[in-house]
């Protein structure tokens, strides 16, 4: 414990912070005030934390200090992604029509964190309806990357990642359907875990308020400053709904020693900045020097054949099922200037999928899941990019939500690519219902942080997180952005 105590509290991992709280090396109220002070001094331009309930948090922190510190989080101060119901806070998902909505109770995941001793003090910024790889909305404005405020934090858990990087919180609760945990972690140099579909209850995630049915693709998961933080978070979050009758029994990690892991590396097919792909290859080579069994794939893994088209169809069929007719018409209008078969045309067509169409997509998805089960008999980890590129400059003047994204482009290593192709790399794990853990690469790419995605077999969450934690031991841990140390 002595080594990490020499660092400032805002540089501790969640695991280190909990250890300090349990050992009474710091008090919950003292730590909370430290977090609140940092947010007040440093968050003006970043704009990560968009709502605070300081007095309620202080009351909870005092109660934690008066307890025996035996709870799993022992009074850990936390922020929560704005899309979650947290009693007394707004839950708007950045949508003007929900600007007056205040939660009267907690999401199931938030209940779990509070029950474990978390002290929740703030909510973090998101894009409108949690539907962009940037985090900005008409209610709370733009969230900027603490590594370079001219660039995005990613989305939709962008404020969460920025808050972790800037030292306002050591543990966060994110959600992910198109990389919404993984891309912000990649852009902001923090850690994030997209769980296997269905192992973390999603009830209480907005939009819409009050929904009871789970999304067919979306998941809830932890974000932190180390692989061990993700293990801590998932242990608290995973399981069935209260009184549901089912019990989760995730398998143990496949291996406890890094050199026992069988790792496949794939950076081909989907668009990716060559500099970023080269950094992942170098990372894999460094793993091989540690004795890891690394295979650089020269052909696309069989389950990935057709993955992109199917994922886009299923994702936007899901999105289209919950939007009004006017928005469907807006998709069609935005696609009208693009040729048949283009990504915008496919997106617009998918939003109007029939129930029969959707059932066919789900059957195809099941075949992909079956193919991944066979593929992961030979490998423990698929190492691949998180997105096409590192954090890019803000593109926020053309509106909100997926419709303007259909006409945006990104510079990907000097090549212009459609903005929405940034969904392809995260879509691998989403479509397959696979767990995926992101940690930073050791060195920047084009001057910005970059992460790498470790994807595992369905329900092998403990394998991808333990692999990541073992990598942390070799490649180092959390590093704050300049100006936030």
């Amino acid at each position: 414990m002595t080594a990490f105590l020499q660092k400032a509290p805002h540089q501790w991992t969640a695991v280190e912070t909990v250890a300090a709280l349990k050992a009474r090396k710091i008090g919950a109220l003292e730590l909370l005030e430290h977090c609140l002070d940092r947010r007040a001094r440093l968050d003006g331009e970043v704009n990560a934390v968009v709502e605070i309930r300081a007095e309620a948090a202080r009351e909870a922190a005092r109660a934690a200090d008066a307890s025996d510190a035996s709870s799993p989080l022992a009074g850990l101060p936390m922020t929560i992604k704005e899309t979650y119901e947290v009693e007394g806070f707004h839950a708007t998902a950045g949508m003007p029509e929900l600007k007056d909505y205040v939660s009267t109770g907690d999401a199931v995941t938030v209940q779990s964190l509070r029950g474990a001793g978390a002290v929740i003090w703030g909510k973090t910024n998101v894009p409108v309806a949690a539907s962009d790889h940037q985090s900005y909305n008409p209610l709370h404005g733009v969230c900027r990357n603490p590594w370079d405020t001219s660039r995005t934090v990613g989305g939709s858990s962008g404020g969460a990642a920025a808050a972790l990087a800037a030292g306002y919180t050591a543990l966060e609760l994110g959600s992910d359907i198109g990389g919404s945990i993984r891309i912000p972690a990649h852009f902001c140099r923090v850690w994030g875990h997209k769980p296997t579909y269905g192992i973390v209850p999603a009830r209480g995630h907005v939009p819409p308020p009050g929904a009871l049915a789970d999304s067919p693709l979306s998941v809830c998961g932890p974000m932190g400053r180390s692989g061990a933080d993700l293990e801590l978070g998932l242990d608290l979050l995973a399981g069935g709904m209260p009184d549901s009758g089912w019990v989760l029994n995730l398998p143990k990690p496949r291996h406890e020693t890094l050199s026992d892991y069988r790792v496949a590396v794939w950076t081909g097919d989907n668009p990716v900045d060559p500099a970023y792909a080269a950094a992942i290859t170098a990372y894999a080579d460094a793993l091989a020097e540690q004795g890891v069994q690394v295979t650089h794939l020269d052909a696309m893994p069989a389950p990935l054949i057709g993955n992109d088209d199917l994922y886009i169809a299923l994702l936007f069929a899901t999105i289209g099922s919950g939007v009004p007719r006017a928005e469907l018409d807006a998709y069609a209008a935005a696609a009208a200037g693009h040729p048949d078969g283009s990504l915008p045309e496919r997106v617009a067509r998918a939003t109007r999928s029939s129930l029969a169409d959707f059932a066919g997509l789900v059957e195809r998805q099941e075949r992909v899941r079956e193919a991944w089960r066979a593929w992961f008999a030979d490998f423990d980890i698929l190492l691949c990019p998180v997105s096409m590129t590192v954090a890019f400059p803000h593109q926020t003047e053309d509106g909100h939500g997926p419709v303007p994204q259909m006409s945006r482009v990104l510079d990907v290593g000097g090549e212009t690519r459609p903005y929405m192709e940034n969904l392809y790399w995260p879509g691998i794990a989403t479509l397959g219902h696979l767990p995926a853990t992101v940690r930073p690469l050791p060195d920047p790419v084009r001057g910005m942080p970059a992460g790498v995605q470790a994807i595992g077999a369905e329900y092998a969450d403990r394998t991808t997180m333990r692999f990541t934690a073992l990598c942390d031991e070799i490649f180092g841990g959390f590093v704050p952005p300049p100006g936030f140390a």
Side-chain angles (χ1 to χ4, degrees), residues 456-477:
E458 204 166 348
Y459 300 108
D461 296 72
R462 298 196 189 285
T463 293
T464 64
M465 291 187 298
R466 184 59 52 84
F467 171 77
T468 299
L470 291 168
C471 289
D472 292 350
E473 295 177 8
I474 302 299
F475 298 104

Side-chain angles (χ1 to χ4, degrees), residues 184-207:
H186 159 48
F187 284 179
C188 294
R189 206 196 181 282
V190 296
W191 283 248
H193 180 70
K194 174 221 160 305
T196 297
Y197 177 80
I199 69 169
V200 176
R203 189 167 296 178
H205 187 271
V206 175

